[in-house]
Amino acid sequence: MGGRRLAHLRKGVATGLCLLAALVPALSPAPARAQSAPMTLIRDTEIEETLRLYSQPLFTAAGVESNSIRILLIGSKDLNAFAGPGVMAVFTGLILETQSPNELQGVIAHEVAHLAGGHSARSGEMSQAGLRPFLLTMGLGVLAALAGNVEAGAVLASNAGFFGTLGAMGYSREQESRADQAGASYLEAAGLSGRGLVNFFDNFRYQEVFAEARRFGYFRSHPLSSSRIDALRARVEGLSNYNAPDDPENVRRHEIMKAKLQGFLNPGVAIVKCADPKADYPARYACAIAQYQLKEPDRALKLIDALLLEQPDNPYLWELKGQI
Ligand SMILES: [Zn+2]
Protein backbone atom coordinates (compact mmCIF):
# COMPACT_ATOMS: atom_id res chain seq x y z
CA MET A 1 0.00 0.00 0.00
CA GLY A 2 1.64 3.24 -1.11
CA GLY A 3 1.81 6.48 0.82
CA ARG A 4 -0.62 8.16 -1.53
CA ARG A 5 -3.38 5.72 -0.73
CA LEU A 6 -2.82 6.07 3.01
CA ALA A 7 -2.97 9.85 2.68
CA HIS A 8 -6.23 9.44 0.84
CA LEU A 9 -7.51 7.18 3.59
CA ARG A 10 -6.57 9.66 6.27
CA LYS A 11 -8.31 12.41 4.41
CA GLY A 12 -11.40 10.28 4.02
CA VAL A 13 -11.73 9.49 7.69
CA ALA A 14 -12.77 12.97 8.66
CA THR A 15 -15.57 13.08 6.13
CA GLY A 16 -18.15 10.59 4.95
CA LEU A 17 -18.02 6.94 4.08
CA CYS A 18 -14.42 5.94 4.16
CA LEU A 19 -12.49 2.83 3.32
CA LEU A 20 -10.01 2.23 6.08
CA ALA A 21 -7.96 -0.79 5.22
CA ALA A 22 -8.19 -1.18 1.51
CA LEU A 23 -8.10 -4.70 0.15
CA VAL A 24 -7.44 -6.75 3.23
CA PRO A 25 -5.79 -9.79 1.73
CA ALA A 26 -6.91 -13.27 2.66
CA LEU A 27 -4.72 -15.12 5.16
CA SER A 28 -3.76 -18.69 4.50
CA PRO A 29 -5.06 -20.92 7.38
CA ALA A 30 -8.79 -21.34 6.73
CA PRO A 31 -9.59 -23.20 3.51
CA ALA A 32 -13.04 -21.71 2.84
CA ARG A 33 -11.53 -18.31 2.26
CA ALA A 34 -10.23 -18.99 -1.20
CA GLN A 35 -13.46 -17.60 -2.66
CA SER A 36 -13.71 -14.54 -0.39
CA ALA A 37 -14.30 -11.18 -2.02
CA PRO A 38 -12.02 -8.21 -1.23
CA MET A 39 -12.84 -6.54 2.06
CA THR A 40 -12.44 -3.07 3.49
CA LEU A 41 -13.17 -1.54 6.85
CA ILE A 42 -15.63 1.28 6.24
CA ARG A 43 -16.07 4.23 8.57
CA ASP A 44 -19.33 6.10 8.21
CA THR A 45 -20.85 7.91 11.18
CA GLU A 46 -24.41 7.73 9.91
CA ILE A 47 -24.36 3.97 9.26
CA GLU A 48 -22.39 3.24 12.43
CA GLU A 49 -25.05 5.08 14.40
CA THR A 50 -27.78 3.03 12.80
CA LEU A 51 -26.02 -0.26 13.49
CA ARG A 52 -25.39 0.81 17.09
CA LEU A 53 -29.02 1.81 17.49
CA TYR A 54 -30.19 -1.54 16.11
CA SER A 55 -27.77 -3.51 18.31
CA GLN A 56 -28.15 -1.61 21.58
CA PRO A 57 -31.40 -3.26 22.79
CA LEU A 58 -30.03 -6.68 21.84
CA PHE A 59 -26.79 -6.14 23.78
CA THR A 60 -28.90 -5.06 26.75
CA ALA A 61 -31.12 -8.13 26.48
CA ALA A 62 -28.04 -10.36 26.34
CA GLY A 63 -26.41 -8.65 29.32
CA VAL A 64 -23.51 -7.53 27.13
CA GLU A 65 -22.01 -4.11 27.91
CA SER A 66 -22.63 -2.22 24.69
CA ASN A 67 -19.55 -0.02 25.06
CA SER A 68 -17.33 -3.10 25.22
CA ILE A 69 -18.27 -4.16 21.68
CA ARG A 70 -16.91 -2.42 18.60
CA ILE A 71 -19.30 -2.61 15.71
CA LEU A 72 -17.49 -2.77 12.40
CA LEU A 73 -18.87 -2.15 8.96
CA ILE A 74 -17.02 -4.30 6.46
CA GLY A 75 -17.22 -3.32 2.81
CA SER A 76 -17.60 -6.58 0.94
CA LYS A 77 -20.02 -8.09 -1.53
CA ASP A 78 -19.96 -11.22 0.58
CA LEU A 79 -23.10 -11.80 2.59
CA ASN A 80 -21.56 -12.19 6.02
CA ALA A 81 -21.43 -11.14 9.65
CA PHE A 82 -19.32 -12.33 12.53
CA ALA A 83 -18.61 -11.74 16.18
CA GLY A 84 -15.35 -12.16 18.04
CA PRO A 85 -13.97 -10.95 21.38
CA GLY A 86 -15.06 -7.32 21.73
CA VAL A 87 -16.04 -7.08 18.07
CA MET A 88 -19.09 -7.55 15.92
CA ALA A 89 -18.81 -7.06 12.20
CA VAL A 90 -21.56 -6.63 9.64
CA PHE A 91 -20.78 -6.84 5.94
CA THR A 92 -22.29 -4.38 3.46
CA GLY A 93 -23.29 -7.39 1.32
CA LEU A 94 -25.48 -8.62 4.15
CA ILE A 95 -27.05 -5.24 4.88
CA LEU A 96 -28.00 -4.82 1.24
CA GLU A 97 -29.73 -8.23 1.26
CA THR A 98 -31.92 -7.46 4.28
CA GLN A 99 -35.45 -6.35 3.44
CA SER A 100 -36.26 -4.70 6.78
CA PRO A 101 -34.59 -3.53 9.97
CA ASN A 102 -36.14 -6.55 11.66
CA GLU A 103 -34.23 -8.93 9.37
CA LEU A 104 -30.98 -7.15 10.13
CA GLN A 105 -31.73 -7.06 13.85
CA GLY A 106 -32.49 -10.77 13.68
CA VAL A 107 -29.04 -11.50 12.27
CA ILE A 108 -27.49 -9.15 14.84
CA ALA A 109 -29.37 -10.94 17.65
CA HIS A 110 -27.95 -14.25 16.44
CA GLU A 111 -24.41 -12.81 16.37
CA VAL A 112 -24.87 -11.24 19.82
CA ALA A 113 -25.82 -14.72 21.02
CA HIS A 114 -22.51 -16.12 19.72
CA LEU A 115 -20.81 -13.23 21.48
CA ALA A 116 -22.65 -13.68 24.76
CA GLY A 117 -22.12 -17.44 24.60
CA GLY A 118 -18.40 -17.00 23.96
CA HIS A 119 -18.78 -19.34 20.99
CA SER A 120 -16.00 -18.08 18.79
CA ALA A 121 -13.54 -17.90 21.67
CA ARG A 122 -14.21 -21.53 22.56
CA SER A 123 -14.68 -23.06 19.18
CA GLY A 124 -12.56 -26.10 18.53
CA GLU A 125 -11.80 -25.00 15.04
CA MET A 126 -10.32 -21.81 16.38
CA SER A 127 -7.94 -23.46 18.82
CA GLN A 128 -6.94 -25.97 16.18
CA ALA A 129 -6.00 -23.22 13.80
CA GLY A 130 -4.14 -21.40 16.58
CA LEU A 131 -6.44 -18.48 16.07
CA ARG A 132 -6.91 -17.47 19.67
CA PRO A 133 -3.76 -15.34 20.02
CA PHE A 134 -4.44 -14.11 16.54
CA LEU A 135 -7.83 -12.82 17.64
CA LEU A 136 -6.31 -10.95 20.55
CA THR A 137 -3.99 -9.21 18.12
CA MET A 138 -6.99 -8.40 16.03
CA GLY A 139 -8.74 -6.73 18.93
CA LEU A 140 -5.82 -4.35 19.32
CA GLY A 141 -5.74 -3.53 15.65
CA VAL A 142 -9.39 -2.73 15.66
CA LEU A 143 -9.06 -0.57 18.74
CA ALA A 144 -6.19 1.34 17.19
CA ALA A 145 -8.21 1.92 14.06
CA LEU A 146 -11.24 3.10 15.94
CA ALA A 147 -9.29 5.33 18.29
CA GLY A 148 -8.38 7.34 15.23
CA ASN A 149 -4.96 5.88 14.59
CA VAL A 150 -5.97 5.00 11.09
CA GLU A 151 -2.58 4.09 9.81
CA ALA A 152 -1.80 1.65 12.62
CA GLY A 153 -5.22 0.11 12.26
CA ALA A 154 -4.95 -0.18 8.51
CA VAL A 155 -1.53 -1.75 8.67
CA LEU A 156 -2.60 -4.29 11.28
CA ALA A 157 -5.75 -5.01 9.39
CA SER A 158 -4.05 -5.60 6.09
CA ASN A 159 -1.28 -7.65 7.65
CA ALA A 160 -3.54 -9.90 9.63
CA GLY A 161 -6.29 -10.50 7.11
CA PHE A 162 -8.44 -11.00 10.15
CA PHE A 163 -11.81 -10.27 8.61
CA GLY A 164 -11.42 -13.16 6.24
CA THR A 165 -10.29 -15.48 9.00
CA LEU A 166 -13.07 -14.55 11.39
CA GLY A 167 -15.69 -14.47 8.69
CA ALA A 168 -14.81 -17.97 7.56
CA MET A 169 -14.79 -19.42 11.05
CA GLY A 170 -17.39 -22.09 11.47
CA TYR A 171 -19.62 -22.83 14.43
CA SER A 172 -20.87 -26.23 15.47
CA ARG A 173 -24.43 -27.21 14.68
CA GLU A 174 -25.20 -27.12 18.37
CA GLN A 175 -23.77 -23.60 18.75
CA GLU A 176 -25.87 -22.49 15.81
CA SER A 177 -29.14 -23.72 17.26
CA ARG A 178 -28.24 -22.32 20.68
CA ALA A 179 -27.49 -18.95 19.08
CA ASP A 180 -30.83 -19.08 17.21
CA GLN A 181 -32.73 -19.76 20.41
CA ALA A 182 -30.84 -17.19 22.49
CA GLY A 183 -31.18 -14.66 19.67
CA ALA A 184 -34.95 -15.23 19.65
CA SER A 185 -35.04 -14.58 23.41
CA TYR A 186 -33.06 -11.33 23.03
CA LEU A 187 -35.38 -10.12 20.27
CA GLU A 188 -38.41 -10.89 22.41
CA ALA A 189 -36.90 -9.16 25.45
CA ALA A 190 -36.13 -6.11 23.28
CA GLY A 191 -39.76 -5.95 22.13
CA LEU A 192 -38.82 -7.10 18.63
CA SER A 193 -40.22 -9.83 16.43
CA GLY A 194 -38.17 -12.90 15.53
CA ARG A 195 -39.94 -13.05 12.20
CA GLY A 196 -37.20 -11.18 10.34
CA LEU A 197 -34.51 -13.69 11.22
CA VAL A 198 -36.69 -16.58 10.04
CA ASN A 199 -37.54 -14.72 6.84
CA PHE A 200 -33.91 -13.92 6.21
CA PHE A 201 -32.94 -17.56 6.60
CA ASP A 202 -35.91 -18.64 4.53
CA ASN A 203 -34.84 -16.44 1.64
CA PHE A 204 -31.64 -18.42 1.45
CA ARG A 205 -33.05 -21.83 2.16
CA TYR A 206 -33.29 -22.76 -1.51
CA GLN A 207 -29.61 -22.00 -1.84
CA GLU A 208 -28.89 -25.04 0.25
CA VAL A 209 -31.14 -27.25 -1.85
CA PHE A 210 -29.01 -26.37 -4.83
CA ALA A 211 -25.83 -26.60 -2.76
CA GLU A 212 -25.22 -22.94 -3.45
CA ALA A 213 -25.31 -21.77 0.15
CA ARG A 214 -21.54 -21.98 0.11
CA ARG A 215 -21.46 -18.98 -2.13
CA PHE A 216 -22.28 -16.88 0.90
CA GLY A 217 -19.77 -16.57 3.70
CA TYR A 218 -22.52 -16.31 6.26
CA PHE A 219 -23.94 -19.70 5.43
CA ARG A 220 -20.53 -21.30 5.24
CA SER A 221 -19.87 -20.29 8.85
CA HIS A 222 -23.51 -20.59 9.97
CA PRO A 223 -24.77 -23.74 8.22
CA LEU A 224 -28.45 -23.57 7.44
CA SER A 225 -30.75 -26.56 7.43
CA SER A 226 -34.50 -26.91 7.08
CA SER A 227 -34.80 -28.41 10.54
CA ARG A 228 -32.88 -25.48 11.97
CA ILE A 229 -35.20 -22.95 10.34
CA ASP A 230 -38.28 -24.95 11.39
CA ALA A 231 -37.13 -25.06 15.01
CA LEU A 232 -36.48 -21.32 14.98
CA ARG A 233 -39.84 -20.56 13.37
CA ALA A 234 -41.71 -22.70 15.91
CA ARG A 235 -40.02 -20.77 18.69
CA VAL A 236 -40.53 -17.22 17.42
CA GLU A 237 -44.15 -17.81 16.38
CA GLY A 238 -44.95 -18.57 19.99
CA LEU A 239 -43.43 -15.36 21.34
CA SER A 240 -45.61 -12.39 22.18
CA ASN A 241 -43.75 -9.92 19.95
CA TYR A 242 -44.01 -12.05 16.82
CA ASN A 243 -46.36 -9.55 15.18
CA ALA A 244 -44.58 -6.46 16.47
CA PRO A 245 -44.09 -4.05 13.55
CA ASP A 246 -40.81 -2.33 12.76
CA ASP A 247 -40.32 1.04 14.41
CA PRO A 248 -40.86 3.67 11.66
CA GLU A 249 -37.64 5.46 12.59
CA ASN A 250 -35.75 2.16 12.20
CA VAL A 251 -37.37 1.64 8.81
CA ARG A 252 -36.33 5.12 7.70
CA ARG A 253 -32.76 4.50 8.86
CA HIS A 254 -32.65 1.13 7.10
CA GLU A 255 -33.71 2.68 3.80
CA ILE A 256 -31.19 5.49 4.13
CA MET A 257 -28.40 3.09 5.06
CA LYS A 258 -29.07 0.85 2.06
CA ALA A 259 -29.40 3.85 -0.24
CA LYS A 260 -26.11 5.29 0.97
CA LEU A 261 -24.32 1.98 0.49
CA GLN A 262 -25.80 1.60 -3.00
CA GLY A 263 -24.71 5.12 -3.91
CA PHE A 264 -21.18 4.54 -2.74
CA LEU A 265 -20.67 0.90 -3.67
CA ASN A 266 -22.91 0.43 -6.72
CA PRO A 267 -23.30 3.96 -8.17
CA GLY A 268 -24.28 2.55 -11.55
CA VAL A 269 -27.34 0.93 -9.93
CA ALA A 270 -28.26 3.91 -7.77
CA ILE A 271 -28.03 6.35 -10.66
CA VAL A 272 -30.88 4.69 -12.52
CA LYS A 273 -33.38 6.25 -10.09
CA CYS A 274 -31.98 9.78 -10.59
CA ALA A 275 -34.32 10.36 -13.49
CA ASP A 276 -37.35 10.47 -11.19
CA PRO A 277 -37.61 13.87 -9.44
CA LYS A 278 -40.45 12.53 -7.29
CA ALA A 279 -38.29 9.77 -5.86
CA ASP A 280 -38.18 9.53 -2.05
CA TYR A 281 -35.39 10.89 0.11
CA PRO A 282 -33.28 7.69 0.25
CA ALA A 283 -33.35 7.34 -3.55
CA ARG A 284 -32.34 10.96 -4.12
CA TYR A 285 -29.66 10.69 -1.43
CA ALA A 286 -28.29 7.61 -3.22
CA CYS A 287 -28.35 9.56 -6.50
CA ALA A 288 -26.34 12.42 -5.08
CA ILE A 289 -23.73 10.00 -3.72
CA ALA A 290 -23.68 8.07 -6.98
CA GLN A 291 -23.11 11.25 -9.01
CA TYR A 292 -20.25 12.10 -6.68
CA GLN A 293 -18.80 8.61 -7.07
CA LEU A 294 -19.16 8.86 -10.85
CA LYS A 295 -17.12 12.08 -10.76
CA GLU A 296 -20.02 14.42 -11.48
CA PRO A 297 -19.62 16.84 -8.54
CA ASP A 298 -21.83 19.57 -10.03
CA ARG A 299 -24.76 17.21 -10.45
CA ALA A 300 -24.13 15.80 -6.98
CA LEU A 301 -24.11 19.26 -5.38
CA LYS A 302 -27.31 20.24 -7.13
CA LEU A 303 -29.06 17.17 -5.72
CA ILE A 304 -27.66 17.75 -2.24
CA ASP A 305 -28.72 21.40 -2.24
CA ALA A 306 -32.25 20.30 -3.08
CA LEU A 307 -32.18 17.80 -0.19
CA LEU A 308 -30.81 20.46 2.14
CA LEU A 309 -33.78 22.70 1.37
CA GLU A 310 -35.97 19.94 2.83
CA GLN A 311 -33.65 19.00 5.67
CA PRO A 312 -31.48 22.02 6.51
CA ASP A 313 -30.39 20.49 9.84
CA ASN A 314 -29.28 17.12 8.51
CA PRO A 315 -25.58 16.88 9.48
CA TYR A 316 -24.90 14.03 7.06
CA LEU A 317 -26.00 16.11 4.09
CA TRP A 318 -23.67 18.91 5.16
CA GLU A 319 -20.92 16.36 5.66
CA LEU A 320 -21.44 14.99 2.17
CA LYS A 321 -21.55 18.47 0.68
CA GLY A 322 -18.26 19.31 2.38
CA GLN A 323 -16.76 16.09 1.12
CA ILE A 324 -17.70 16.87 -2.47
ZN1 LIG B 1 -24.26 -18.45 13.83
Side-chain angles (χ1 to χ4, degrees):
M1 178 183 292
R4 204 160 53 153
R5 177 179 268 167
L6 270 177
H8 167 73
L9 292 170
R10 268 199 303 274
K11 190 171 146 225
V13 99
T15 53
L17 192 119
C18 151
L19 308 182
L20 226 189
L23 286 175
V24 175
L27 246 194
S28 35
R33 219 158 344 94
Q35 28 192 323
S36 286
M39 291 177 232
T40 50
L41 179 58
I42 294 180
R43 300 301 316 275
D44 181 79
T45 321
E46 187 175 24
I47 296 177
E48 286 171 9
E49 266 183 28
T50 295
L51 294 177
R52 177 65 63 178
L53 192 82
Y54 285 3
S55 308
Q56 197 90 42
L58 299 162
F59 286 141
T60 304
V64 171
E65 173 57 52
S66 173
N67 290 335
S68 69
I69 308 295
R70 302 284 173 176
I71 302 176
L72 306 180
L73 176 64
I74 310 288
S76 168
K77 284 188 173 152
D78 196 8
L79 192 158
N80 212 343
F82 63 79
V87 176
M88 182 173 71
V90 184
F91 285 40
T92 54
L94 183 134
I95 294 174
L96 288 171
E97 281 297 329
T98 56
Q99 301 303 310
S100 67
N102 190 240
E103 286 193 9
L104 184 51
Q105 285 183 300
V107 174
I108 290 173
H110 177 95
E111 291 306 311
V112 169
H114 281 309
L115 209 56
H119 292 171
S120 65
R122 280 185 218 139
S123 101
E125 188 181 333
M126 213 176 106
S127 353
Q128 275 169 26
L131 283 177
R132 189 158 189 170
F134 171 78
L135 270 186
L136 295 175
T137 312
M138 183 214 78
L140 291 177
V142 169
L143 286 176
L146 295 169
N149 189 346
V150 177
E151 213 164 324
V155 168
L156 256 170
S158 49
N159 283 348
F162 54 73
F163 302 134
T165 303
L166 268 184
M169 205 144 59
Y171 296 101
S172 71
R173 194 169 294 205
E174 193 207 344
Q175 285 174 331
E176 282 309 321
S177 60
R178 279 213 308 266
D180 284 344
Q181 297 297 321
S185 301
Y186 303 156
L187 288 161
E188 171 71 7
L192 300 167
S193 172
R195 189 201 293 261
L197 182 59
V198 178
N199 286 349
F200 183 78
F201 283 168
D202 237 0
N203 286 342
F204 293 93
R205 167 182 274 192
Y206 74 95
Q207 299 285 349
E208 188 180 55
V209 176
F210 297 103
E212 284 184 14
R214 302 185 77 78
R215 282 201 294 138
F216 302 112
Y218 193 72
F219 298 115
R220 285 198 299 271
S221 55
H222 301 68
L224 198 58
S225 68
S226 298
S227 59
R228 181 180 157 201
I229 301 177
D230 292 343
L232 178 62
R233 178 182 288 108
R235 173 79 195 290
V236 301
E237 279 180 355
L239 296 173
S240 61
N241 288 315
Y242 182 68
N243 289 313
D246 270 312
D247 176 80
E249 171 63 11
N250 281 354
V251 173
R252 195 186 67 88
R253 281 182 169 268
H254 188 253
E255 286 168 358
I256 291 172
M257 174 167 62
K258 282 179 70 170
K260 189 171 205 178
L261 290 173
Q262 284 287 13
F264 269 108
L265 302 173
N266 310 314
V269 176
I271 207 109
V272 173
K273 293 177 184 164
C274 290
D276 180 6
K278 291 201 183 93
D280 58 8
Y281 174 83
R284 285 179 295 140
Y285 190 37
C287 275
I289 295 166
Q291 294 286 13
Y292 169 48
Q293 289 296 93
L294 296 171
K295 311 232 180 319
E296 295 281 358
D298 293 340
R299 287 181 184 178
L301 285 172
K302 206 174 150 197
L303 289 163
I304 289 167
D305 285 337
L307 293 171
L308 273 168
L309 282 178
E310 294 166 29
Q311 300 190 28
D313 298 328
N314 185 323
Y316 305 114
L317 289 175
W318 286 109
E319 187 181 37
L320 184 62
K321 186 170 177 174
Q323 196 175 350
I324 295 171

